[in-house]
Amino acid sequence: MANGRVVQTADRTIGSRQLAALLPAEVRARPGYRALADAVRTLILDGRIALHVRLPAERELAEAVGASRATVTGAYDLLRESGYVRSRRGSGTWTELPEGHAPVGTHMLVGAGGHGADGEPGIDLAIAAMGAPDGSLTDALAWAAPRLPGLARSPGYLPFGLPELRTAIADRFTRRGLATRPEQILVTAGAQQAFALVVSLLCRAGDRVVTENPTYANALDALRHARLRTGSIAVSDAGWDMEIAESTLRQTVPRLAYVIPDFHNPTGSLMPREQRLRLLAATRRTGTWLVVDETVADIALEVPPPAPLASLAPRGGADHVVTIGSLSKTHWGGLRVGWVRATAKMITELTSVRVAADMTGSVLDQLVALPLLADLDRSLPARLEQLRDRREALVDALRRHTPEWSWQLPPGGLSLWVDLGEPVSSALAERAAAAGVNIGRGARFGVDPGTFEHRLRIPYTLPPDRLEEAVRLLATAFHDGVPLTPSVERPHWVA
């Protein structure tokens, strides 16, 4: 079993070798009881070991990790004391969560009830998205209101999506350089649902998939939930390592590859044209479905907005490319409108999967989306200028409060991928949460456990005064004189 895959077997048991393979290398090399307990806690919190799963017997796990039985006994005792496992004589030791905790992927936003130490509402830096543009939803609702009664005379079940919206999305793809017909579009309840539907249709438990590393945390959660084996392609400050990508695809022949080539989340990098061509060719050679996430493709701050990756393929050479997107980043996350662009045949198959899950999307949301999408080219420049100002405010605050941190200024996207200079991201996020700042620790974006502990994703989507306060609190947490040490963090939901 590969790291990153959720353990959820038919008999709800994880074997000793399976658990040992999920542990970080440093724990396997020197398995102290505290380090072992911390590692198992992290696996439970991150969802890589499901809840209510029976852990291996102490003697079996001790043999698998090369430790004494006393070490495993001590680790299990700590886990019991902290509420992460329960034991009953004759039935073994089972995973659970202590009261007040929830697994990664559940909604734990500061804005949904979290507060700082002074009782005031906290600052949410876990969400890389802005509020709706002033007046945009009011105007869109006013446009939609007189048109809704006509639609309300029908049953309201439109599993493919509102026909006018499918046409509008297809036309936008065509204007961007990728000829698209309405029957190639499925309207979904956001890009996350679009991705989950694609994974559900194309993959089965145990299939190999490839993602970038780091990548969008909620996409990783979807792959883990589907019990897929995840390989990775490194994305650094220098961009994509395409030689490794081609080698990984050739050696693993994955069923699916998920990429964010346009202002990659979390790094903000933009994949060059030559690398896009190589990725198209490599996935076509291996028969791999290439899922392209365009959720932030329109957030182009320093360069022209990129054309769809599939538009670079020769005629008939992009049938293996599935493109997903949404209005969440350009307009508002509360408007649950996303889409899939693929072959007409796949759209029909995806719709069959969708009907089994939720029958249809919100007709009202889709009707409101129509004028927003039609007005996007006119309204987007002001949105982008606002983001540039907020990015400048964040950079200025970081330079003043945390001069030892470093980052690359991205050409687009919604956040900075900040290097802390030391592996304390989870500990800093925990300390910041206590001060009222919720933030996406680096490890949430890593394919493998324990990676990117020197990174924080810091969005520049809040107003400048909130960004200033957030950085001040982060800097205080970082510089307060008490050494930051790796710890098991309260799970953070990110978007």
Side-chain angles (χ1 to χ4, degrees):
M1 176 177 296
N3 282 351
R5 179 184 174 188
V6 173
V7 175
Q8 193 171 17
T9 59
D11 61 355
R12 308 294 292 175
T13 299
I14 177 173
S16 58
R17 292 183 180 179
Q18 291 176 309
L19 178 52
L22 289 170
L23 297 173
E26 61 270 21
V27 175
R28 295 196 301 269
R30 301 181 64 183
Y33 76 100
R34 290 189 180 276
L36 180 58
D38 283 349
V40 174
R41 278 196 202 100
T42 299
L43 291 170
I44 295 169
L45 284 171
D46 279 351
R48 290 189 295 276
I49 298 178
L51 297 178
H52 314 301
V53 165
R54 187 169 59 192
L55 295 177
E58 295 172 1
R59 187 186 303 279
E60 293 174 359
L61 184 57
E63 292 177 358
V65 299
S68 68
R69 183 173 179 179
T71 296
V72 178
T73 299
Y76 279 14
D77 285 345
L78 281 179
L79 290 167
R80 272 188 291 270
E81 290 169 7
S82 55
Y84 286 89
V85 302
R86 58 179 171 81
S87 298
R88 190 170 61 190
R89 185 177 298 277
S91 65
T93 300
W94 298 75
T95 60
E96 63 179 16
L97 286 176
E99 194 171 328
H101 281 64
V104 166
T106 56
H107 196 118
M108 299 190 67
L109 304 180
V110 168
H115 293 80
D118 57 2
E120 293 298 314
I123 300 175
D124 196 350
L125 289 179
I127 304 299
M130 301 174 71
D134 290 344
S136 63
L137 289 177
T138 301
D139 293 343
L141 282 165
W143 181 92
R147 293 164 173 82
L148 184 60
L151 288 168
R153 296 187 188 100
S154 73
Y157 290 94
L158 300 169
F160 286 92
L162 190 67
E164 296 89 341
L165 184 57
R166 297 178 75 198
T167 298
I169 295 168
D171 288 348
R172 181 165 178 79
F173 271 111
T174 299
R175 291 195 302 273
R176 294 175 57 219
L178 180 60
T180 303
R181 304 184 308 278
E183 56 265 34
Q184 292 180 268
I185 300 296
L186 169 64
V187 180
T188 62
Q192 184 69 11
Q193 186 193 52
F195 182 61
L197 289 173
V198 170
V199 170
S200 178
L201 175 67
L202 298 180
C203 301
R204 296 292 177 267
D207 281 351
R208 292 184 182 275
V209 297
V210 166
T211 75
E212 296 147 326
N213 193 28
T215 191
Y216 181 49
N218 293 330
L220 285 174
D221 287 340
L223 297 175
R224 290 165 181 156
H225 182 73
R227 294 179 287 160
L228 303 176
R229 294 183 290 169
T230 308
S232 61
I233 300 168
V235 182
S236 66
D237 288 338
W240 287 257
D241 189 328
M242 199 50 62
E243 289 188 7
I244 293 296
E246 290 170 329
S247 174
T248 299
L249 288 165
R250 185 171 58 252
Q251 292 176 18
T252 63
V253 193
R255 177 69 173 163
L256 178 150
Y258 169 76
V259 297
I260 313 172
D262 307 315
F263 316 123
H264 173 262
N265 185 359
T267 70
S269 299
L270 180 64
M271 184 181 287
R273 176 187 173 89
E274 181 268 337
Q275 292 189 354
R276 293 171 184 245
L277 291 170
R278 290 174 66 178
L279 182 61
L280 278 167
T283 50
R284 189 163 184 82
R285 282 194 301 269
T286 57
T288 298
W289 290 100
L290 179 59
V291 181
V292 179
D293 188 338
E294 285 196 339
T295 305
V296 290
D298 285 312
I299 312 300
L301 301 180
E302 305 294 343
V303 295
L309 187 148
S311 68
L312 300 180
R315 185 176 180 83
D319 287 354
H320 69 299
V321 182
V322 180
T323 305
I324 62 177
S326 81
L327 291 177
S328 295
K329 306 302 184 182
T330 56
H331 286 86
W332 187 44
L335 190 68
R336 301 311 299 156
V337 174
W339 52 81
V340 183
R341 191 269 182 200
T343 64
K345 178 178 182 294
M346 175 173 281
I347 292 300
T348 300
E349 294 171 347
L350 282 169
T351 305
S352 297
V353 175
R354 190 261 181 84
V355 167
D358 72 348
M359 297 292 291
T360 187
S362 165
V363 175
L364 178 57
D365 279 21
Q366 294 177 60
L367 192 60
V368 170
L370 265 172
L372 296 177
L373 192 63
D375 195 47
L376 182 57
D377 291 335
R378 187 194 65 81
S379 63
L380 191 58
R383 189 82 153 167
L384 299 183
E385 189 58 35
Q386 188 178 42
L387 279 168
R388 291 187 192 98
D389 291 343
R390 294 182 177 189
R391 184 183 62 177
E392 183 178 351
L394 174 60
V395 167
D396 178 65
L398 288 171
R399 285 172 175 163
R400 284 185 286 106
H401 293 294
T402 55
E404 63 270 61
W405 294 359
S406 61
W407 58 88
Q408 295 281 345
L409 197 67
L414 296 160
S415 57
L416 299 181
W417 187 230
V418 175
D419 190 336
L420 305 176
E422 50 185 308
V424 294
S425 174
S426 291
L428 177 58
E430 184 177 8
R431 188 178 291 178
V437 179
N438 191 23
I439 193 163
R441 60 190 178 88
R444 275 291 283 127
F445 303 88
V447 173
D448 299 309
T451 55
F452 302 110
E453 269 295 318
H454 61 302
R455 294 280 191 172
L456 281 181
R457 189 192 71 168
I458 309 182
Y460 37 81
T461 50
L462 296 179
D465 61 329
R466 297 293 278 170
L467 291 172
E468 169 71 25
E469 178 66 6
V471 173
R472 185 188 67 79
L473 291 171
L474 285 171
T476 299
F478 187 76
H479 296 131
D480 76 350
V482 179
L484 285 161
T485 55
S487 62
V488 176
E489 72 296 326
R490 183 179 174 89
H492 290 169
W493 188 94
V494 299

